[in-house]
């Protein structure tokens, strides 16, 4: 099997790249180790930056998002029983975000790829990337019990942190930067209408809490818990009681309770692999970087990567120049590190470290007070949350 661009992984990064390349007249093949049902149901991010929304619309993948997604023009910060709303459009010149789950993005892109795009092979496990330094890199993979080879001009690893693509970068050329946090998020899905019409980020002496949603009738909520927490060790009543404590305010706001349909614990870590390119192998999304979910940046960073790469590949096709391909890693990493910085800032602003001192508690509140009282500080948060420029 041969193609111009071999894409490993049918998450949002791989699927969107395939769509962008299709629209540019560049052929590709997507290899995904899981089956279609798994890809379309795995729960991940749910916040799309303004730039991501614009890219999906331009790619022809925004129709259902615009119909079913929930546009949000701000977030609410809670601390010391107080509430402060950050108004995105007023602070950013009109930008907003969209609540639309990653599962739905994948469903839309899969449908388009199967209808209009190149081959998308599910249950096709990539085994290795070979010859990345040559002009004919190859992906060895297993599909339907048979090993095969995909020959390409370029290979793109969109196969996540545990995938094979990054392993093809020689250890002597790799630099990794990592931070593991001593806490995680206990997340729930609940069949109850959200208790607020925008996301609520709460800083509390007992730990962080986040109120989010998947739809007008399904709530998504999170609690900061120790990193080694077993989700099933928390009863439903304990979860609701703790959420009520951490979201408490001095007004009459109340948290709606409902049946919990899913519980899980998400670890918190920051990770960057440099470079994001080796020869004709390019890394995108979680294969190259991970952010803690506090800043809602993971999916959006992946979109930035593949937009940058699709632009570079189109430029190569149109002009014969490798300039943009050669600049891919540096271009992406500028945005990646800004997102890492913002995600770290949001995490340390809102989460209480296990060994936090009263001094550090007061500093957190002072930082939140600064955002609530300074338009400049509030604007910095709003600009970062709604998205850094792509490219």
């Amino acid at each position: 099997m041969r193609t111009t661009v071999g894409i490993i992984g049918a998450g949002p990064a791989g699927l969107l790249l395939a769509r962008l390349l299709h629209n540019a007249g560049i052929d590709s093949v997507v290899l995904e180790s899981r089956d279609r049902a798994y890809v379309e149901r795995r729960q991940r991010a749910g916040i799309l930056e303004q730039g991501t929304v614009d890219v999906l619309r331009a790619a022809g993948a925004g129709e259902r998002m615009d119909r079913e997604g929930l546009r949000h023009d701000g977030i609410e910060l809670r601390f010391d029983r107080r509430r402060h709303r950050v108004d995105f459009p007023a602070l950013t010149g009109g930008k907003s975000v969209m609540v639309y789950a990653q599962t739905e993005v994948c469903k839309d892109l899969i449908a388009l790829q199967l209808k209009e795009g190149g081959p998308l092979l599910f249950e096709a496990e990539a085994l290795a990337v070979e010859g990345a330094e040559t002009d004919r890199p190859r992906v060895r993979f297993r599909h339907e019990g048979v090993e095969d080879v995909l020959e390409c001009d370029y290979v793109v690893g969109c196969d996540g942190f545990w995938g094979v693509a990054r392993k093809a970068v020689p250890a002597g050329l790799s630099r990794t930067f990592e931070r593991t946090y001593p806490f995680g998020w206990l997340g729930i899905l609940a069949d109850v209408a959200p208790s607020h019409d925008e996301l609520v980020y709460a800083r509390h002496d007992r730990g962080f809490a986040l109120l989010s949603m998947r739809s007008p009738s399904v709530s998504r909520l999170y609690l900061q818990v120790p990193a080694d927490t077993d989700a099933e060790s928390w009863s439903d009543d304990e979860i609701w009681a703790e959420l009520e404590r951490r979201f408490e305010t001095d007004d009459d706001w109340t948290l709606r309770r409902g049946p919990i349909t899913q519980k899980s614990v998400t670890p918190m870590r920051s990770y960057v692999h440099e470079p994001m390119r080796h020869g004709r192998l390019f890394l995108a999304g979680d294969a190259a970087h991970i952010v803690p979910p506090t800043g809602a940046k993971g999916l959006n960073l992946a979109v930035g990567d593949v937009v940058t790469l699709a632009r570079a590949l189109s430029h190569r096709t149109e002009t014969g120049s490798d300039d943009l391909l050669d600049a891919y890693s540096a271009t992406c990493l500028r945005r990646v590190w800004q997102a890492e910085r913002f995600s770290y800032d949001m995490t340390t602003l809102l989460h209480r470290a296990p060994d936090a001192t009263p001094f550090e508690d007061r500093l957190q509140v002072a930082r939140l007070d600064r955002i609530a009282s300074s338009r400049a500080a509030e604007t910095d948060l709003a600009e970062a949350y709604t998205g850094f420029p792509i490219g």
Side-chain angles (χ1 to χ4, degrees):
M1 184 181 294
R2 171 152 186 81
T3 190
T4 302
V5 182
I7 301 171
I8 308 174
L15 291 167
L16 178 58
L17 177 59
R19 179 65 183 176
L20 295 173
L21 294 177
H22 168 78
N23 290 348
I26 300 172
D27 62 291
S28 68
V29 172
V30 182
L31 306 176
E32 168 55 46
S33 63
R34 304 282 192 162
D35 62 28
R36 180 177 180 179
Y38 178 89
V39 174
E40 293 187 340
R41 70 171 181 263
R42 58 185 168 192
Q43 293 292 329
R44 292 291 190 275
I47 304 296
L48 308 183
E49 295 174 354
Q50 181 70 67
T52 297
V53 170
D54 295 343
V55 165
L56 290 171
R57 286 173 179 158
E63 180 181 351
R64 194 164 69 93
M65 173 191 69
D66 284 329
R67 186 172 66 248
E68 300 179 11
L70 306 173
R71 172 180 163 144
H72 281 200
D73 287 337
I75 58 172
E76 182 173 289
L77 300 175
R78 290 195 187 178
F79 58 103
D80 275 3
R81 303 176 65 92
R82 289 180 280 159
R83 306 169 64 178
H84 176 76
R85 181 175 185 267
V86 179
D87 185 330
F88 292 156
L91 296 163
T92 64
K95 290 183 180 179
S96 62
V97 297
M98 183 81 75
V99 175
Y100 191 63
Q102 174 174 314
T103 50
E104 306 310 310
V105 173
C106 287
K107 288 175 188 176
D108 297 341
L109 291 170
I110 286 171
L112 284 170
Q113 184 71 7
L114 294 177
K115 179 181 179 182
E116 303 174 5
L120 166 54
L121 305 182
F122 290 103
E123 299 182 86
E125 179 188 7
L127 303 174
V129 176
E130 300 171 341
E133 304 90 343
T134 73
D135 60 2
R136 289 294 178 91
R138 301 151 38 102
V139 182
R140 284 196 298 107
F141 68 98
R142 182 184 297 112
H143 185 232
E144 297 180 344
V146 177
E147 284 199 23
D148 202 346
V149 172
L150 176 62
E151 297 183 344
C152 325
D153 293 335
Y154 306 95
V155 175
V156 186
C158 303
D159 50 345
F161 182 79
W162 301 107
V164 302
R166 193 175 66 252
K167 297 174 183 176
V169 181
L173 301 179
S174 298
R175 295 186 68 197
T176 58
F177 306 84
E178 188 169 11
R179 180 185 180 92
T180 301
Y181 299 86
F183 42 74
W185 280 8
L186 171 61
I188 65 166
L189 280 175
D191 287 336
V192 61
S195 302
H196 193 60
D197 56 2
E198 293 177 335
L199 272 68
V200 177
Y201 288 78
R203 185 268 170 205
H204 194 278
D205 286 343
R206 296 175 64 90
F208 168 74
L210 172 63
L211 186 158
S212 183
M213 64 282 295
R214 282 292 178 261
S215 74
S217 61
V218 177
S219 293
R220 182 75 160 152
L221 301 109
Y222 299 92
L223 286 169
Q224 176 188 343
V225 294
D228 59 354
T229 296
D230 176 5
E232 297 305 319
S233 68
W234 284 70
S235 71
D236 291 6
D237 284 342
E238 288 173 329
I239 291 172
W240 287 118
E242 189 62 24
L243 286 165
E244 287 171 346
R245 290 188 195 101
R246 299 190 192 183
F247 286 124
E248 62 189 358
T249 63
D250 282 332
D251 59 17
D252 59 357
W253 183 90
T254 57
L255 180 68
R256 298 182 184 127
R257 293 192 178 200
I260 294 176
T261 59
Q262 185 184 108
K263 301 177 191 175
S264 61
V265 173
T266 301
M268 304 280 283
R269 62 191 304 227
S270 302
Y271 175 88
V272 179
H273 179 279
E274 297 183 1
M276 291 175 57
R277 177 198 180 182
H278 173 59
R280 293 201 170 198
L281 167 66
F282 298 83
L283 304 178
D286 285 359
H289 42 72
I290 295 172
V291 289
T294 326
K297 289 287 168 250
L299 167 60
N300 297 291
L301 272 184
V303 169
D305 293 345
V306 298
V307 168
T308 301
L309 182 55
R311 186 182 299 151
L313 289 167
S314 296
H315 182 72
R316 174 69 174 79
T317 299
E318 294 166 1
T319 68
S321 170
D322 286 330
D323 289 353
L324 295 186
L325 287 172
D326 291 341
Y328 170 76
S329 183
T331 301
C332 289
L333 284 169
R334 282 193 294 271
R335 190 169 189 263
V336 166
W337 277 111
Q338 285 301 317
E340 292 283 355
R341 186 268 307 169
F342 175 68
S343 299
Y344 173 83
D345 285 350
M346 287 286 283
T347 301
T348 57
L349 173 69
L350 295 162
H351 293 73
R352 192 172 192 276
D355 58 352
T357 65
F359 178 83
E360 290 165 323
D361 289 337
R362 289 297 181 94
L363 280 182
Q364 282 186 317
V365 174
R367 290 168 66 191
L368 286 159
D369 265 327
R370 174 66 177 169
I371 293 168
S373 61
S374 164
R375 186 175 179 87
E378 194 179 24
T379 298
D380 185 60
L381 187 156
E383 288 179 343
Y385 198 98
T386 55
F388 300 106
I390 297 175

